[in-house]
Amino acid sequence: MIARRLDILPPAAGVILLSLVAGSAAAGLEAEPYKLVRSLQRIQDQIADGDKSAVGMQFELTKLIDKSFRRLDGTAFADPKTAKALIAYSMLGGNPRTLEQHLGDMGDADSAYVRLGAAILSYQKGASNNALAQLSRFDPRSIGGMFGASIALIRGLITENDAKARVDFDSARLLAPGTLIEEAALRRLMSIHRRAEDPEAFLRVSSRYARRFVASPYALQYAQEFTAGVVAMGDRMDTETVIEILEFLPEAYRQSLTLRLLHNATLDGKSDLVARIAAFAPDRHAADAHADEPAAETGTERREDFYATISQVTSENVREIAEELRNYDVESLSEGERNLLRAVLAVADAVTDPDAALPDTGPAVRKTSTRESILYEDEPEEQVEPGFQDFEDFVGGTRTTLESVDKLLEEIQ
């Protein structure tokens, strides 16, 4: 088994970045903008690593950078270093008004920086077709570095052709490994490979993300895409590779994602996939390998067994499976799983007793116990999808902070 890897920012790094921002502010606005833009890139990379303190620093530094550009005389942007820094700042989510204000100061209309700046400004204003036409003149790999990676990422985001977008996202991640740019590119590549029904490529980029960016505040999107891809291509998925990817994740994240896979595969009728994932579930596999005697089942394992049991239902054994499910400890199930169990039992009753009408909201069996009262209680109006609550808790704090910062950033635009 490959050892799990989780690259989390050491506490000292946040302090270093905070002192960097504070030092720049203390110096008034004397720091050169290109140096501040480099600092912003580093801070965004720490966000990808899950450092929540970096989110607030990003906001403060973005304001500082914007002021530093606005205080410059127009002639300063004739310097390629300053022009490049302003475009880089804009590609990192900077204020489009600042780029628009100084675009003409970068040179004449044929200048490479003016043409690139105009393309990025079009992108910032939502004119994707115009931006794409202008960006097609540039070669991100020839430009290289973070600058080229940013161009590749933006072009990939606005390209409707998946084949062309894949090339750009691959360029972005290769030019800027370990950065927020790579994190975003990998998530987009997962979607592209899922649509192309390419399980090998899908698992390859999924594995890279799991090893490097699981602490990212955007990891919930990864989990949703991973689940969708594995279920959609389940009959061609290498289960051992899927489990290997899950093994790299923190425990709560891993358990939640495994249950989510089982849940969606069950709803999609992928019984074989459910059985394979349940049989090779990482937590159970590890316990079996190291325990002299079988340990008591955990709540997660009971829920995995629940999906495995449902996956075994056939027309021949429906009565036996239904009886087993009726005796199931539903207190270990989520609300969504209880609803699924109700539906399975209702269908089983209809199959074994064709004259019986499917129940509406009434119980399928007599309410005589706590288990049954839980199983047949009225469905709540809102539910947390099974397997995602722990995952939401894992990444939700940083994501909520990011949403707050996004609103604050609008104030300087």
Side-chain angles (χ1 to χ4, degrees), residues 245-266:
I245 291 172
L246 292 172
E247 287 176 342
F248 273 87
L249 307 178
E251 183 177 0
Y253 188 150
R254 179 174 66 255
Q255 292 176 349
S256 297
L257 190 49
T258 300
L259 289 170
R260 180 63 175 175
L261 282 169
L262 292 170
H263 180 80
N264 280 22
T266 298

Side-chain angles (χ1 to χ4, degrees), residues 29-316:
L29 294 175
E30 298 303 319
E32 294 183 79
Y34 78 90
K35 293 181 180 179
L36 296 177
V37 172
R38 288 178 182 174
S39 299
L40 179 60
Q41 291 171 336
R42 289 196 293 271
I43 286 177
Q44 290 189 346
D45 295 340
Q46 305 314 326
I47 292 175
D49 280 340
D51 181 13
K52 297 180 181 181
S53 65
V55 178
M57 288 186 283
Q58 175 187 231
F59 172 59
E60 293 299 329
L61 186 53
T62 299
K63 292 195 300 181
L64 187 64
I65 293 172
D66 200 64
K67 291 178 181 177
S68 71
F69 278 123
R70 286 178 174 271
R71 72 176 176 82
L72 292 178
D73 183 83
T75 57
F77 293 91
D79 181 354
K81 185 166 58 178
T82 304
K84 184 177 180 179
L86 177 55
I87 295 173
Y89 161 70
S90 300
M91 290 191 289
L92 293 173
N95 187 352
R97 294 179 182 175
T98 305
L99 176 59
E100 187 171 28
Q101 175 184 342
H102 293 292
L103 185 61
D105 297 328
M106 297 180 184
D108 56 40
D110 293 329
S111 165
Y113 285 120
V114 171
R115 289 188 286 113
L116 179 57
I120 300 305
L121 185 60
S122 294
Y123 165 73
Q124 289 183 302
K125 291 186 172 183
S128 298
N129 291 336
N130 186 37
L132 182 59
Q134 298 177 75
L135 287 175
S136 63
R137 305 171 185 172
F138 297 90
D139 180 8
R141 294 204 184 193
S142 295
I143 295 171
M146 290 288 291
F147 199 67
S150 298
I151 295 172
L153 179 64
I154 290 175
R155 195 167 68 182
L157 291 172
I158 59 179
T159 300
E160 295 182 359
N161 183 294
D162 275 355
K164 293 181 179 180
R166 178 181 58 78
V167 172
D168 280 329
F169 289 138
D170 274 332
S171 295
R173 71 184 186 86
L174 291 172
L175 289 171
T179 67
L180 189 61
I181 290 175
E182 185 192 13
E183 190 272 348
L186 287 173
R187 284 188 284 110
R188 270 71 178 188
L189 282 168
M190 289 175 67
S191 300
I192 290 174
H193 294 318
R194 174 178 55 81
R195 289 193 293 267
E197 298 184 345
D198 186 343
E200 290 79 13
F202 177 84
L203 289 177
R204 185 169 59 251
V205 296
S206 298
S207 178
R208 168 63 182 170
Y209 192 102
R211 286 161 169 77
R212 185 61 184 83
F213 296 109
V214 68
S216 165
Y218 306 106
L220 180 59
Q221 297 174 26
Y222 164 79
Q224 293 169 334
E225 187 58 51
F226 183 73
T227 301
V230 171
V231 172
M233 298 180 283
D235 56 336
R236 291 177 291 148
M237 276 289 172
D238 181 351
T239 308
E240 291 187 7
T241 303
V242 172
I243 298 304
E244 183 180 89
I245 291 172
L246 292 172
E247 287 176 342
F248 273 87
L249 307 178
E251 183 177 0
Y253 188 150
R254 179 174 66 255
Q255 292 176 349
S256 297
L257 190 49
T258 300
L259 289 170
R260 180 63 175 175
L261 282 169
L262 292 170
H263 180 80
N264 280 22
T266 298
L267 295 182
D268 210 44
K270 302 289 181 66
S271 298
D272 181 61
L273 178 62
V274 173
R276 283 185 283 138
I277 292 177
F280 289 98
D283 293 292
R284 175 164 305 185
H285 187 67
D288 291 344
H290 295 95
D292 294 330
E293 297 181 2
E297 276 195 323
T298 65
T300 297
E301 289 171 345
R302 285 193 294 271
R303 293 168 73 184
E304 291 170 356
D305 282 341
F306 165 69
Y307 289 108
T309 300
I310 292 178
S311 73
Q312 299 169 10
V313 177
T314 66
S315 58
E316 290 76 19

Side-chain angles (χ1 to χ4, degrees), residues 309-380:
T309 300
I310 292 178
S311 73
Q312 299 169 10
V313 177
T314 66
S315 58
E316 290 76 19
N317 67 6
V318 61
R319 192 182 300 275
E320 292 76 13
I321 296 296
E323 186 61 28
E324 182 178 347
L325 289 173
R326 289 183 198 281
N327 295 321
Y328 200 84
D329 178 17
V330 296
E331 294 185 28
S332 65
L333 301 180
S334 70
E335 192 60 44
E337 289 163 342
R338 293 171 190 168
N339 291 336
L340 176 59
L341 179 56
R342 279 199 292 268
V344 171
L345 291 177
V347 172
D349 287 344
V351 171
T352 57
D353 184 6
D355 294 330
L358 288 176
D360 294 323
T361 57
V365 296
R366 184 169 50 89
K367 295 183 183 180
T368 58
S369 67
T370 301
R371 186 195 75 83
E372 290 177 335
S373 65
I374 291 175
L375 180 56
Y376 298 106
E377 65 188 3
D378 291 337
E379 181 177 339

